[in-house]
């Protein structure tokens, strides 16, 4: 596994792309400063997911931006993705690591202080603190952790962290100040009139707080 940058982590959602091709939105966002991209597909066939993953990987390779696949180890293996992101109810981490390989990125969602403690016993590459605020892009999540939750998890976790859930240009600085190493966004970029400008503004906010 090579180095990776959690600063501005885009999670895709085609339903929020305003009818634009996913590759267009993602490439514009990368040009604006997105440092990692997670392909999340909840409502399509395995074949469609795979084809989209192949297209996105080809799009990202010239920029040396890691492609992370949400949940689906089979898709991640099939397209030779750079990483896999799993949740608390997905394939167990030890199994995912054994099958995916030690040189790949694996991230794990943590939804509570206890999840963060448990993750300390695993050699995951990063944790996703989820959700920070209320969000409409994920409906299967627990009560929002808030900034205090980000602060507490950041204190106890031995892993780098990216925070997700309702994060935008208004609250991004507070999330980084609370201890997250990066922010993960969906609609703040996917639904922006200019994904490149939206990403650029968010990246400036994050970078200014990480200095």
């Amino acid at each position: 596994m090579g180095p990776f940058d959690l600063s501005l982590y885009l999670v895709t959602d085609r339903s929020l792309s305003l009818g634009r091709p996913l590759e267009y939105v993602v490439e514009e966002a990368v040009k604006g400063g997105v440092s990692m991209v997670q392909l999340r597909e909840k409502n399509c066939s395995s074949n469609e997911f795979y084809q989209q993953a192949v297209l996105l990987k080809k799009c990202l390779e010239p920029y040396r931006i890691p492609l992370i696949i949400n949940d689906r180890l089979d898709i991640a293996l099939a397209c030779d993705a750079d990483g896999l992101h799993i949740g608390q109810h997905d394939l167990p981490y030890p199994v995912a690591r054994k099958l995916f390989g030690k040189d790949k990125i694996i991230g794990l969602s943590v939804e509570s202080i206890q999840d963060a403690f448990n993750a300390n016993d695993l050699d995951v590459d990063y944790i996703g603190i989820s959700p920070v605020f209320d969000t409409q892009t994920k409906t299967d999540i627990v009560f929002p952790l808030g900034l205090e939750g980000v602060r507490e998890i950041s204190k106890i976790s031995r892993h780098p962290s990216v925070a997700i859930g309702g994060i935008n240009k208004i609250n991004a600085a507070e999330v980084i100040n609370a201890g997250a190493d990066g922010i993960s966004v969906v609609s703040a970029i996917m639904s922006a009139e200019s994904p490149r400008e939206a990403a650029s503004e968010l990246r400036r906010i994050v970078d200014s707080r990480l200095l």
Side-chain angles (χ1 to χ4, degrees):
M1 179 201 67
F4 58 90
D5 179 4
L6 292 171
S7 300
L8 184 55
Y9 187 126
L10 173 63
V11 177
T12 69
D13 187 333
R14 286 188 292 174
S15 71
L16 298 175
S17 68
L18 308 182
R20 299 166 296 191
L22 184 60
E23 305 87 74
Y24 167 80
V25 176
V26 168
E27 187 167 12
E28 284 294 292
V30 166
K31 289 176 179 177
V34 159
S35 57
M36 293 180 77
V37 175
Q38 180 188 135
L39 177 60
R40 186 170 72 192
E41 293 289 348
K42 296 292 189 182
N43 301 301
C44 71
S45 68
S46 293
N47 182 59
E48 188 178 0
F49 196 162
Y50 167 72
Q51 296 296 342
Q52 185 65 73
V54 170
L55 284 173
L56 210 52
K57 187 170 186 288
K58 184 178 180 180
C59 169
L60 293 172
E61 280 180 339
Y63 300 98
R64 301 180 68 84
I65 298 296
L67 172 64
I68 312 298
I69 300 297
N70 178 257
D71 293 351
R72 296 284 300 273
L73 175 63
D74 58 335
I75 301 296
L77 287 167
C79 74
D80 192 26
D82 302 287
L84 174 72
H85 188 90
I86 53 177
Q88 292 295 317
H89 306 292
D90 296 322
L91 194 67
Y93 169 76
V95 178
R97 176 59 77 191
K98 180 179 179 181
L99 294 173
F100 200 33
K102 62 183 173 129
D103 296 326
K104 296 289 190 176
I105 301 167
I106 300 185
L108 175 68
S109 291
V110 299
E111 300 174 344
S112 67
I113 301 294
Q114 187 59 54
D115 286 349
F117 272 121
N118 294 343
N120 281 340
D121 293 329
L122 306 172
D123 62 338
V124 295
D125 297 298
Y126 71 90
I127 59 168
I129 302 174
S130 172
V132 181
F133 305 114
D134 281 319
T135 175
Q136 299 302 312
T137 60
K138 290 191 72 177
T139 57
D140 58 344
I141 51 179
V142 296
F143 191 75
L145 294 162
L147 293 172
E148 187 57 35
V150 175
R151 196 169 290 113
E152 290 301 311
I153 288 174
S154 298
K155 285 178 183 177
I156 67 167
S157 178
R158 68 182 184 89
H159 302 296
S161 65
V162 61
I164 186 170
I167 299 172
N168 52 48
K169 64 183 181 180
I170 296 172
N171 55 34
E174 293 179 306
V175 175
I176 297 298
N177 287 344
D181 296 294
I183 59 168
S184 184
V185 301
V186 186
S187 57
I189 288 179
M190 292 299 302
S191 295
E193 182 177 347
S194 170
R196 187 188 302 200
E197 290 179 9
S200 180
E201 184 173 9
L202 285 165
R203 186 61 188 256
R204 283 196 300 270
I205 293 169
V206 172
D207 286 349
S208 69
R209 296 292 169 168
L210 290 175
L211 292 177

